[in-house]
Amino acid sequence: MGKNNTFEEIWDALSKSKKVLISLHPKPDGDSLGSCVAMKYVLEKMGKKVTLISKDDISENLLSFSFIKEVDFGTGLDDLDLEDFDTIIFVDHGHLGGHPENIVNKNFPKSMNVINIDHHETNDFFGKLNYVNPGMISCSIILKELFEKKGINFDGELCRRLLLGICTDSGFFINGSPGQAMKVAAFLVEKGGINFTKEFYNPINQQSVKFKKMLGELFSNINLKKMDGKNIYYSSISKEKLKELGINSSEVRSGINFLKDLEDTDLIFTLSELGSGEIKGSFRSFTIDTSLFAKEMDGGGHKGASAFYIKGMSIEQAIDEVFRVIKKVGFHEK
């Protein structure tokens, strides 16, 4: 594991920056959105010029949040001249997979300050400055601690941005360390004067008919394979079905969360065929360290939830490849 920089070192670099670029991670979720817009909000209060981009769209259940308008969706890191910025901040990027080849290979301009703030076990400390804490359930909690130490005012807007990441990554206080998430969420709700049910729980948990149909497809395609005494469930969905339903790449990533609690399940994975020629894979387990499988496939994530991408294969070939990796890596307890 790499070495962390201190909050002071990171804050010093942020304070000296003038033109900052922030990118949501590929197929962004609520923590990616919440932590990135929170960082943007604070930096702009400090007088910095901030550009916030995302190559991929966000899921429909997050579109009701007003700060969504601050993200330039459809613009990726390969669409910009990185020489125009003195600092790039990666928040909630467990790894650089899914970005352009030059980014994955860390070919940033020499003059650019690359700051990496994350909470995934698989992070390889790719920044010039790094702060990675796998003990935090979301990046939004890390930012809350950073801002608190630097005396930033937690007004209603900042509280709402951070709360989004905590609610979504914790699965509304079910995943990871619920007590940690609840404590920080309570602070933000009180400080921000937030109507938690109306502003967060209801809009985030509502599901469209097309999303329900996608779940139906995944449930219909479930299979079981036993390996070394473990029950491994797996499912897949084709690009044709995703196109028919109108499901984007960020929405498809959350489908596995509704399959993971099948009884007698030791490990579950889903494969979603994207229109870009990629297959998005996701692992979930309550007992097995899935990050080891994902890392073997150049992916990343947490022990209980991780993801990866496969190119140049059919769904059937990808299923065989995942089982090959599982057999090679073996089962390791969380």
Side-chain angles (χ1 to χ4, degrees):
M1 189 174 182
K3 183 179 179 181
N4 273 331
N5 293 95
T6 65
F7 277 165
E8 287 296 330
E9 290 171 320
I10 290 175
W11 192 258
D12 182 60
L14 292 174
S15 298
K16 292 177 181 176
S17 65
K18 295 180 180 179
K19 295 184 68 177
V20 180
L21 176 61
I22 305 176
S23 173
L24 273 62
H25 66 57
K27 286 70 179 175
D29 59 5
D31 194 28
S32 177
L33 175 62
S35 57
C36 285
V37 294
M39 178 63 80
K40 177 178 182 289
Y41 183 72
V42 169
L43 290 177
E44 288 180 336
K45 289 280 189 181
M46 296 165 61
K48 315 300 179 183
K49 183 176 181 181
V50 183
T51 299
L52 177 57
I53 63 172
S54 176
K55 189 72 172 180
D56 299 320
D57 290 332
I58 202 81
S59 58
E60 283 191 357
N61 67 331
L62 300 179
L63 293 179
S64 63
F65 293 94
S66 60
F67 43 71
I68 202 82
K69 300 173 184 175
E70 299 179 24
V71 185
D72 185 2
F73 287 102
T75 298
L77 293 172
D78 50 350
D79 299 316
L80 301 174
D81 184 353
L82 299 187
E83 297 283 357
D84 291 339
F85 305 90
D86 55 54
T87 302
I88 184 169
I89 308 174
F90 291 97
V91 186
D92 196 37
H93 291 245
H95 59 108
L96 292 177
H99 284 303
E101 197 72 20
N102 65 315
I103 299 298
V104 173
N105 293 325
K106 307 173 182 65
N107 296 324
F108 300 100
K110 291 183 179 179
S111 61
M112 173 174 269
N113 213 355
V114 181
I115 300 176
N116 166 34
I117 301 174
D118 188 43
H119 70 125
H120 295 89
E121 288 93 341
T122 54
N123 193 290
D124 62 358
F125 290 72
F126 53 79
K128 289 184 181 178
L129 292 170
N130 302 278
Y131 188 86
V132 180
N133 186 351
M136 294 299 182
I137 199 168
S138 77
C139 259
S140 294
I141 292 182
I142 295 177
L143 293 189
K144 184 262 183 183
E145 288 198 349
L146 171 62
F147 298 155
E148 198 167 38
K149 286 184 181 295
K150 303 315 297 183
I152 298 299
N153 176 42
F154 284 85
D155 60 18
E157 186 63 30
L158 180 57
C159 289
R160 284 169 171 80
R161 294 173 185 229
L162 292 171
L163 184 59
L164 174 62
I166 296 168
C167 289
T168 51
D169 251 25
S170 71
F172 281 91
F173 320 112
I174 294 176
N175 304 326
S177 304
Q180 175 196 96
M182 288 178 181
K183 183 177 180 180
V184 180
F187 168 83
L188 296 173
V189 168
E190 183 176 357
K191 289 287 288 185
I194 296 170
N195 184 326
F196 182 76
T197 302
K198 181 179 178 180
E199 295 184 56
F200 283 84
Y201 189 85
N202 288 345
I204 291 174
N205 286 290
Q206 66 182 5
Q207 296 171 1
S208 64
V209 172
K210 68 177 184 178
F211 187 83
K212 290 289 192 183
K213 288 183 176 180
M214 181 194 73
L215 293 180
E217 182 75 6
L218 287 172
F219 276 112
S220 296
N221 293 338
I222 284 178
N223 290 280
L224 169 65
K225 182 172 182 175
K226 294 181 178 290
M227 181 182 288
D228 297 334
K230 304 292 187 182
N231 289 333
I232 304 175
Y233 283 94
Y234 61 98
S235 184
S236 62
I237 187 166
S238 69
K239 61 183 178 183
E240 290 81 12
K241 179 57 69 172
L242 290 175
K243 184 177 181 180
E244 174 190 328
L245 295 175
I247 298 291
N248 68 38
S249 57
S250 294
E251 289 170 318
V252 74
R253 73 187 307 279
S254 62
I256 192 171
N257 292 327
F258 297 88
L259 280 67
K260 66 181 181 181
D261 54 356
L262 291 171
E263 65 177 352
D264 300 324
T265 302
D266 295 298
L267 174 68
I268 187 166
F269 69 87
T270 58
L271 297 172
S272 306
E273 194 176 25
L274 306 179
S276 57
E278 292 181 316
I279 293 176
K280 169 73 163 59
S282 298
F283 288 112
R284 295 290 187 274
S285 178
F286 292 110
T287 58
I288 295 169
D289 185 350
T290 72
S291 68
L292 300 178
F293 305 137
K295 195 169 185 178
E296 180 70 20
M297 303 175 80
D298 296 321
H302 304 286
K303 290 182 178 181
S306 58
F308 59 93
Y309 295 93
I310 294 178
K311 294 183 179 180
M313 292 187 186
S314 66
I315 288 285
E316 292 74 19
Q317 291 170 326
I319 291 171
D320 291 339
E321 175 63 12
V322 173
F323 278 113
R324 183 193 70 78
V325 168
I326 292 173
K327 188 172 183 62
K328 176 184 176 182
V329 173
F331 299 108
H332 300 265
E333 297 298 314
K334 289 171 56 178

